[in-house]
Amino acid sequence: MSDTQTFLDTLKTRSQQRGAEPTWIAARRQAGAARFEALGFPTRRDEEWKYTDVRAIAQGNFALADDANFSPAQAATVTLPIVGYRLTFVDGVFAPALSDLDALPQSVHVLPLSKALSENHEAVGGPLGRLTGVDFSSFAALNTAFMEEGAVVRIAPGTVVDKPIVLQFLSKASSTPVMSHPRILVEAGARSEATLIEHYCGDQDAANFTNVVGEFMLDRGAIFNHYKLQEAPLNDMHIASMHVEQSRDSRYTSYNLNLGGALVRNDLISDLNGEGAETHFYGLFFGQGRQHVDNHTKVNHNAPLTFSNENYKGILDDRAHGVFNGKVYVKRDSQKIEGFQSNQNLLLSDRAQIDAKPELEIYADDVKCSHGTTTGQLDEEAIYALRTRGIDEATARGLLTLAFAGEVLDKVALDEIAERVELAVAGKLPERFNLAGLVETAVALND
Amino acid sequence: MLQVTDLHVTVEDKEILKGLTLTINAGEVHAIMGPNGAGKSTLSAVIAGKDGYEVTQGSITFEGKDVLEMEIEERAQAGLLLGFQYPVEIPGVKNIYLLKSALNAQRKARGLEDMPAPEFMKLVKEKLGFMKMDASFLQRAVNEGFSGGEKKRNEILQMLVLQPKLAMLDEIDSGLDIDAMKVVADGVNSLRAEERAILLVTHYQRLLDYIVPDKVHVLVDGRIVKTGDAELAKQLEANGYEGIEESAA
């Protein structure tokens, strides 16, 4: 039996259990299944998957979870200490008890996909699947075939959402690994402003497979901040296909922070379709043990006067393997665009590995673009210099590692998230978060 | 305070120090002078614990403790601090962070609580003023983009904040113009105290016009060949090292 067939069989069983669905959903599901069947899982012969082997997924036998039992006490240990509108999913199943949409303004819809589908909610019918399209990738197709749960967010024009929308995905340890295919659908209305946090976490020893697809549509002038914090379990497998569509004058910012997972692959695409649209990609990936973390990004400058800025940093320890592939594409006659891309990697061990590939493809003649990638190690001279001031070696290494990550972490406006990442990459360092105040005090004293 | 006895050190199988003996007591300022290649920088590097220096014979004790058995950071925490000839740039690590981490590491090692923030800032502000440095230094990454003079002042600033028991200053005057040297010298002189010792390593006598040492040692070919007072430095300036080398031979 082929790898693909195992998944198709699971799909068939699920469809029979599920019963009748509206025709349009069934049709999309079928299209997804057909596409997945035709493509099969990618192999390393595919250019886009040259450095990432997905056999651990393809040859796995994953069940689908049926319940969302996760002890609230356990969940509390991993939940981000951020006040927000929260939807929680356990192995892909919606967990109302761990969710909180209290006081959600009327101009904002945040609802689980299952609810949106069963109600045939107007927020899903049109846009669902629009960006992933017909020629979508194998994993996006698989997601479409299985999609049942996830989050639908619709923000009315002009609305400034007062608190972050938090989507928490918990992975639970069990004897049978499970898979989930969450779907995130966001429509940000004209001139709206919102922050969305995807947070992947769970039991330390879980080993499940998450295959998430996100579609983000930003109308004119919308401002959308998108955090993705992906933490332990270290044995989870995680594939994410994120597609952003930006209208005129919209601003999208992605903070993609990868800390967990045995096998992680992120595809992030932004289509800059209207003049004045700008996109910022900040990424930090930290791999240890035998983790494999692959980030593929693409910015499509489809319109003139668009702007993109990308800064990805990788820190790899032990035998971890990182991949960065960033592409900036400038469509014919998209003049006066600016596209900047930088990737820097830090190898903390001799056996860590990085494959970095920045790409530029330009079909316009009046553009400003740059890209570059560097890879290095911690500066032993600097470690020595810090130690001669009484700072122990672990702290010195942490300090320098954090300094490396700083360019990205400093952009993270949410301290709770920056702190989590700092702790993971640099260990507990003294007082980082009081420094800004200290310097102000110093300046004031000097006046 | 510091006792170096019959110290032999090799670097890449070449013997640099060949039986150096030196005693520094609390309250004293010592200067070690000598021609290039005599082993001046080797001595301070070995005391600070830099890699690549092999002690084949002899001992170094600091307040009775075996320095060679201590980790680099333990030496600093115990109060042995080295000011570098070529201070290292540490991109991304702010000066304020270095000062705070270093001071609190030292306090922790001595069983003290972290210094409260207002007290710490008051201390740093006072020392900054003394070194004629602007508060913006605190926000800049350690030595990154600093001029030579700024780097040296920054070394002394660290000394003033950390208040070592023994401050070792390796060629602290190199590359300084006269105004910067006065500021640096004032900083060093402010460290002079009964409970503290200072060890200056220098090639030129010029610095010693501003920081007058109690004892001057002449280091030639890995050994101290002559010890005297501040007058000795002046003689060296006038006559060079050659006469000393001959008389030692």
Side-chain angles (χ1 to χ4, degrees):
Chain A
M1 194 165 58
S2 78
D3 299 342
T4 318
Q5 196 56 46
T6 315
F7 285 80
L8 291 170
D9 288 348
T10 310
L11 180 65
K12 198 170 164 191
T13 312
R14 191 63 162 193
S15 299
Q16 285 159 359
Q17 291 166 350
R18 192 186 294 121
E21 286 187 301
T23 328
W24 70 270
I25 302 171
R28 275 178 214 189
R29 211 182 280 293
Q30 274 166 18
R35 174 83 178 161
F36 171 69
E37 193 172 6
L39 288 174
F41 283 102
T43 70
R44 296 187 59 181
R45 284 188 299 276
D46 297 305
E47 181 63 21
E48 289 289 294
W49 295 85
K50 196 171 169 183
Y51 303 108
T52 298
D53 186 341
V54 298
R55 277 180 300 176
I57 294 169
Q59 292 168 4
N61 194 350
F62 301 98
L64 289 161
D66 288 311
D67 62 62
N69 285 335
F70 204 94
S71 101
Q74 176 75 4
T77 63
V78 293
T79 296
L80 277 171
I82 284 179
V83 179
Y85 304 112
R86 191 181 309 271
L87 291 183
T88 296
F89 305 89
V90 178
D91 294 335
V93 181
F94 179 53
L98 299 171
S99 301
D100 179 7
L101 294 175
D102 263 5
L104 184 71
Q106 287 211 319
S107 54
V108 186
H109 290 288
V110 177
L111 66 163
L113 179 69
S114 56
K115 188 160 181 270
L117 289 178
S118 69
E119 289 175 2
N120 223 341
H121 197 284
E122 57 171 5
V124 284
L128 188 69
R130 201 178 92 212
L131 297 183
T132 41
V134 275
D135 58 342
F136 39 159
S137 73
S138 173
F139 282 105
L142 186 65
N143 174 289
T144 305
F146 275 102
M147 66 179 171
E148 288 179 350
E149 197 50 281
V152 176
V153 175
R154 191 184 220 191
I155 305 159
T159 304
V160 177
V161 185
D162 58 339
K163 291 185 280 190
I165 297 161
V166 184
L167 308 179
Q168 176 174 250
F169 297 91
L170 295 170
S171 179
K172 194 169 63 175
S174 77
S175 50
T176 325
V178 295
M179 63 176 166
S180 59
H181 301 273
R183 193 89 186 189
I184 299 168
L185 180 65
V186 174
E187 275 187 285
R191 300 174 320 282
S192 66
E193 278 187 51
T195 294
L196 179 126
I197 302 166
E198 280 178 79
H199 183 210
Y200 298 87
C201 53
D203 286 333
Q204 289 296 329
D205 41 3
N208 299 315
F209 166 42
T210 302
N211 176 31
V212 59
V213 168
E215 296 170 280
F216 303 82
M217 288 152 245
L218 276 60
D219 207 344
R220 283 181 80 144
I223 296 174
F224 194 77
N225 299 312
H226 180 193
Y227 286 84
K228 174 176 183 173
L229 175 61
Q230 192 230 332
E231 294 185 299
L234 292 177
N235 291 322
D236 262 14
M237 285 169 282
H238 183 98
I239 307 279
S241 314
M242 297 289 149
H243 201 136
V244 186
E245 180 190 66
Q246 296 187 239
S247 305
R248 192 173 176 136
D249 297 328
S250 63
R251 186 166 84 222
Y252 171 81
T253 308
S254 162
Y255 304 92
N256 182 9
L257 308 162
N258 312 138
L259 305 172
L263 171 58
V264 177
R265 164 70 178 243
N266 290 300
D267 279 274
L268 172 61
I269 301 174
S270 196
D271 279 317
L272 300 173
N273 290 344
E275 289 185 9
E278 71 179 69
T279 202
H280 301 262
F281 289 178
Y282 296 107
L284 183 67
F285 51 97
F286 175 61
Q288 49 187 325
R290 286 173 170 267
Q291 280 182 276
H292 182 99
V293 188
D294 178 347
N295 277 295
H296 269 61
T297 66
K298 192 174 177 195
V299 177
N300 291 315
H301 287 271
N302 296 329
L305 293 161
T306 48
F307 176 89
S308 70
N309 178 40
E310 173 166 17
N311 192 351
Y312 262 68
K313 294 221 169 187
I315 302 170
L316 299 164
D317 202 353
D318 305 325
R319 302 183 71 172
H321 185 178
V323 180
F324 173 79
N325 189 316
K327 189 167 186 174
V328 174
Y329 170 85
V330 183
K331 197 178 167 181
R332 186 170 302 283
D333 296 331
S334 286
Q335 307 295 4
K336 307 240 184 259
I337 69 98
E338 290 182 40
F340 305 110
Q341 186 193 79
S342 164
N343 164 241
Q344 288 175 291
N345 306 296
L346 177 63
L347 301 181
L348 298 178
S349 106
D350 292 342
R351 301 174 89 174
Q353 191 186 334
I354 179 82
D355 289 289
K357 192 172 156 197
E359 295 177 272
L360 272 178
E361 207 177 314
I362 303 175
Y363 299 99
D365 52 19
D366 183 12
V367 303
K368 200 190 259 182
C369 287
S370 69
H371 70 170
T373 177
T374 63
T375 296
Q377 288 163 331
L378 284 180
D379 180 357
E380 293 296 329
E381 278 277 313
I383 292 169
Y384 169 68
L386 289 169
R387 292 180 72 194
T388 65
R389 295 300 175 257
I391 295 167
D392 67 82
E393 185 169 354
T395 304
R397 288 185 180 275
L399 219 49
L400 293 172
T401 306
L402 193 65
F404 173 82
E407 267 186 341
V408 168
L409 274 188
D410 288 349
K411 299 286 180 193
V412 173
L414 296 167
D415 278 353
E416 296 86 347
I417 291 181
E419 225 163 324
R420 289 275 270 250
V421 178
E422 171 187 326
L423 205 62
V425 302
K428 183 96 185 121
L429 296 175
E431 311 254 10
R432 169 177 145 84
F433 288 93
N434 297 329
L435 285 183
L438 273 181
V439 173
E440 281 158 24
T441 318
V443 173
L445 283 167
N446 232 36
D447 287 340
Chain B
M1 182 179 274
L2 182 78
Q3 180 64 51
V4 180
T5 309
D6 190 29
L7 190 67
H8 292 252
V9 175
T10 60
V11 179
E12 289 171 355
D13 293 331
K14 186 167 182 276
E15 193 169 49
I16 305 292
L17 295 184
K18 304 170 179 174
L20 185 145
T21 295
L22 176 69
T23 305
I24 298 177
N25 298 310
E28 296 175 349
V29 176
H30 288 235
I32 292 185
M33 303 185 70
N36 288 330
K40 299 191 299 292
S41 290
T42 298
L43 177 63
S44 49
V46 169
I47 297 174
K50 193 167 172 58
D51 272 354
Y53 296 83
E54 195 189 346
V55 176
T56 53
Q57 201 181 315
S59 67
I60 305 171
T61 61
F62 180 67
E63 295 189 315
K65 281 177 286 189
D66 184 352
V67 171
L68 298 174
E69 287 296 314
M70 294 161 85
E71 294 289 346
I72 297 165
E73 56 269 29
E74 289 171 346
R75 301 178 194 199
Q77 289 160 5
L80 253 174
L81 221 55
L82 172 63
F84 289 99
Q85 179 178 6
Y86 303 111
V88 180
E89 296 189 9
I90 313 180
V93 177
K94 286 178 179 161
N95 256 319
I96 182 82
Y97 203 116
L98 169 67
L99 291 171
K100 196 162 179 20
S101 303
L103 183 66
N104 285 334
Q106 184 193 78
R107 289 173 68 94
K108 192 176 171 197
R110 294 173 190 178
L112 299 171
E113 294 284 306
D114 282 3
M115 185 181 277
E119 195 184 328
F120 172 71
M121 283 322 307
K122 193 163 172 281
L123 172 74
V124 170
K125 188 245 162 186
E126 180 199 322
K127 304 303 184 191
L128 267 177
F130 196 86
M131 293 309 292
K132 298 189 167 40
M133 292 165 82
D134 189 90
S136 66
F137 270 88
L138 300 177
Q139 302 177 67
R140 290 169 64 184
V142 178
N143 295 324
E144 199 181 24
F146 284 25
S147 70
E150 287 173 338
K151 285 181 184 173
K152 293 294 172 71
R153 274 195 274 170
N154 207 28
E155 293 293 288
I156 304 299
L157 175 71
Q158 292 167 19
M159 296 270 172
L160 295 184
V161 170
L162 297 175
Q163 298 279 312
K165 292 177 185 167
L166 174 63
M168 298 183 289
L169 301 164
D170 189 7
E171 307 272 359
I172 198 71
D173 53 329
S174 67
L176 293 185
D177 61 34
I178 193 73
D179 292 331
M181 187 153 82
K182 280 179 185 163
V183 174
V184 165
D186 285 348
V188 175
N189 283 325
S190 79
L191 282 168
R192 295 182 93 135
E194 259 178 48
E195 70 282 4
R196 184 173 297 118
I198 296 168
L199 174 60
L200 302 165
V201 173
T202 181
H203 187 80
Y204 300 105
Q205 191 264 342
R206 186 179 72 149
L207 178 71
L208 305 183
D209 286 341
Y210 298 93
I211 309 169
V212 181
D214 301 304
K215 285 190 178 164
V216 174
H217 309 276
V218 183
L219 180 63
V220 176
D221 193 24
R223 268 186 293 259
I224 287 175
V225 294
K226 192 164 187 178
T227 296
D229 56 18
E231 276 305 306
L232 176 58
K234 293 203 166 74
Q235 287 170 26
L236 287 172
E237 182 77 359
N239 306 326
Y241 292 106
E242 279 157 30
I244 303 275
E245 282 172 69
E246 280 159 24
S247 69

